[in-house]
């Protein structure tokens, strides 16, 4: 099955009892048994499994080409589940440019866990290799990154982790499987904030893990079941409905993203545009290699003046774009990373990685590109 068919049919069947084409929202915590331990259709208690969640999990496995999908109550709950596979003494190698909440979890929640985290620019493959030792258990990458659109070469890193026998997880939130499928390129686990493009309508908080191998999926399912951050049936239904139009939405996100990146790059008030689809993007070659069908809907930029005041003025003036955190919905959003999404990263660290005070991040939606560009034009005046 091709991707555009999988988003709609992958792992799905009509509901056997009634023929309902969409899975009912099984709003139930528990399931009757005919005799102790004799289950009617395999379901026992909804933390362990619920048919609406199963429908979503099968769709997730299908679109990412994995053996097992798992749906969580948030993206961070999904990330936390992966970290629970580790123990004191283990080491993790992570990208030096991560979603702020992921960085906060690694550096603060797991601070006294005995697990050691190394943060590295993964484009420096020699430096990356030098950080492996017998305690290394996990490599965590995000590509493209938030908000600077740095890339990591998934295939190159996957070769190293395979060689070293270390788990490799990729946060695929920004690209989605419409654009890149990390499990096909050598990753073992894909993580999503399904709050973003998979859900696609800014109406649900949800997360996902997809394991390449069944055994790894089973291990993660045990941890999810035993710690409890599962996605409820109503929210599972919403994410599943979102996935059915993922390919159509992503196509427009990519088209609009490219147009807006090119418009910004030609604007006299704009200094730098961060978008992997621009030829002068420092990782455009990696982007062309591992991203297909386009380069996504996330675009960041800075001002020629370098002034924070200009960024704030822009964000106050936009009308079609809404000033808000989050991304990946059908509507366009604009955000000031230093004061909003990335405020949890200490200022000196922010400056070091390039999250300057004049940086604006756009989540380009699926509206008419002319209206979006006109909005940006009036806000840049
Ligand atoms: C939003 C986001 C997360 C966290 O997901 P939640 O659903 O908010 O918990 C993780 N990674 C990336 C890249 C994100 O954008």
């Amino acid at each position: 099955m091709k991707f555009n068919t999988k988003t709609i049919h992958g792992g799905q069947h009509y509901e056997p009892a009634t023929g309902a084409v969409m899975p009912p929202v099984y709003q139930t915590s528990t399931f009757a048994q005919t005799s102790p331990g004799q289950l009617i259709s395999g379901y026992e208690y909804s933390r362990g499994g619920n048919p609406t969640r199963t429908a979503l999990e099968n769709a997730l496995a299908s679109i990412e080409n994995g053996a097992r999908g798992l749906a969580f109550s948030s993206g961070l709950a999904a990330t936390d589940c992966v970290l629970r596979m580790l123990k004191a003494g283990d080491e993790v190698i992570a990208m030096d440019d991560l979603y702020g909440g992921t960085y906060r979890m690694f550096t603060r929640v797991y601070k006294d866990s005995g697990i050691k985290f190394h943060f590295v620019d993964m484009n420096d493959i020699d430096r990356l290799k030098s950080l492996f030792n017998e305690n290394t258990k996990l490599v965590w990458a995000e590509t493209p990154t938030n908000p600077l659109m740095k890339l990591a070469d998934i295939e190159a890193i996957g070769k190293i982790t395979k060689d070293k026998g270390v788990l490799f997880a990729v946060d695929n939130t920004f690209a989605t499987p419409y654009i890149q499928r990390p499990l096909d390129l050598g990753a073992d686990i894909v993580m999503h904030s399904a709050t973003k493009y998979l859900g696609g309508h800014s109406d649900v908080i949800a997360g996902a893990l997809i394991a390449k191998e069944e055994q790894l999926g089973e291990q993660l399912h045990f941890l999810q079941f035993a710690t409890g951050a599962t996605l409820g049936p109503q929210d599972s239904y919403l994410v599943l409905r979102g996935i059915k139009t993922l390919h159509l939405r992503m196509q427009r996100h990519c088209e609009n993203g490219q147009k807006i990146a090119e418009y910004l790059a030609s604007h006299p008030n704009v200094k730098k545009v961060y978008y992997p689809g621009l030829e002068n993007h420092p990782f455009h070659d990696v982007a062309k290699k591992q991203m297909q069908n386009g380069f996504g809907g996330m675009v960041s930029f800075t001002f020629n003046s370098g002034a924070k005041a200009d960024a704030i003025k822009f964000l106050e003036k936009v009308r079609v774009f809404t000033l808000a955190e989050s991304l990946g919905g059908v509507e366009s959003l604009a955000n000031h990373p230093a004061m909003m999404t990335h405020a949890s990263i200490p200022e000196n660290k922010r400056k070091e990685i390039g999250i300057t005070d004049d940086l604006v991040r756009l989540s380009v939606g699926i509206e008419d590109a002319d209206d979006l560009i006109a909005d940006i034009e009036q806000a840049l005046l």
Side-chain angles (χ1 to χ4, degrees), residues 83-150:
L83 291 185
R84 284 179 190 274
M85 301 211 308
L86 309 180
K87 59 179 189 324
D90 288 348
E91 298 190 12
V92 178
I93 305 174
M95 296 258 299
D96 63 352
D97 187 21
L98 288 177
Y99 173 72
T102 308
Y103 181 78
R104 180 175 53 208
M105 183 191 298
F106 289 2
T107 55
R108 291 174 62 185
V109 179
Y110 281 89
K111 185 165 168 273
D112 300 320
S113 65
I115 299 168
K116 189 167 172 191
F117 292 86
H118 302 270
F119 297 95
V120 63
D121 180 348
M122 291 196 182
N123 291 288
D124 187 345
I125 291 280
D126 290 335
R127 169 112 179 84
L128 173 66
K129 277 188 179 156
S130 76
L131 291 173
F132 282 85
N133 62 42
E134 68 276 13
N135 298 324
T136 310
K137 293 288 151 55
L138 173 69
V139 169
W140 187 276
E142 193 180 313
T143 179
T145 64
N146 177 10
L148 295 172
M149 313 297 150
K150 279 201 203 170

Side-chain angles (χ1 to χ4, degrees), residues 64-76:
E64 285 285 9
N65 289 344
R68 181 82 184 253
L70 295 167
F72 290 81
S73 53
S74 72
L76 287 179

Side-chain angles (χ1 to χ4, degrees), residues 72-73 193-196 198-207 231-232 234-240 326:
F72 290 81
S73 53
S193 170
T195 313
K196 317 294 168 52
L198 297 188
H201 296 75
S202 304
D203 52 8
V204 63
I205 297 281
L231 192 64
Q234 181 73 37
D235 288 347
S236 295
Y237 170 84
L238 284 172
V239 176
L240 184 64
S326 200

Side-chain angles (χ1 to χ4, degrees), residues 293-365:
N293 299 323
F295 302 96
M298 299 303 298
V299 184
S300 299
F301 69 96
T302 59
F303 290 78
N304 255 334
S305 62
K308 180 180 183 178
D310 278 348
I312 291 175
K313 195 177 81 183
F314 174 87
L315 292 165
E316 286 173 354
K317 278 178 87 174
V318 283
R319 291 286 170 268
V320 182
F321 282 84
T322 301
L323 173 59
E325 296 204 3
S326 200
L327 60 109
V330 289
E331 66 291 307
S332 292
L333 302 177
N335 146 55
H336 189 264
M339 287 168 75
M340 295 168 68
T341 45
H342 292 67
S344 60
I345 300 176
E347 189 178 350
N348 59 343
K349 182 84 193 149
R350 275 204 310 265
K351 294 264 147 68
E352 194 184 302
I353 56 185
I355 304 177
T356 53
D357 287 344
D358 65 333
L359 182 77
V360 166
R361 187 191 80 184
L362 303 176
S363 171
V364 178

